[in-house]
Amino acid sequence: PLMDELPFIPPEDFNLDEYDLKTPYMDGRTINIMFSRGCPYRCSYCSYKAISGFRSRSKSAERQVEEIEYIKSQLI
């Protein structure tokens, strides 16, 4: 799939300390990983379809695991 061809974003390019979340359910350092783009649903009330149509793309399960392992290895 096309999204599997996108390179990983190097975690060292981000200063994660700037995003220190002080919440009771997280230890502070977090990172969001996007595994898909678009929306596969056809909700009649949603304006998203006017922007992008109904196109939806996602990374394969194998690629998702690779990306999680890569980020963990860079941050620990």
Side-chain angles (χ1 to χ4, degrees), residues 4 12 15-16 18 22 24 30-31 34 37 39 43 50 53 56-57 63 66 71-72 74-75:
D4 283 355
E12 60 270 11
N15 181 359
L16 296 179
E18 291 181 15
K22 303 294 185 199
T30 62
I31 189 166
M34 299 297 291
R37 292 182 183 167
C39 180
C43 303
S56 177
R57 298 164 302 223
R63 180 65 174 190
E66 286 176 20
I71 289 172
K72 283 177 61 176
Q74 297 296 313
L75 297 177

Side-chain angles (χ1 to χ4, degrees), residues 4-7 9 11 26-27 41 51 58 64 67 69 74:
D4 283 355
E5 297 172 10
L6 296 173
I9 297 173
M26 290 185 186
D27 67 0
Y41 304 107
I51 298 168
S58 62
Q64 293 177 29
E67 192 163 352
E69 289 175 348
Q74 297 296 313

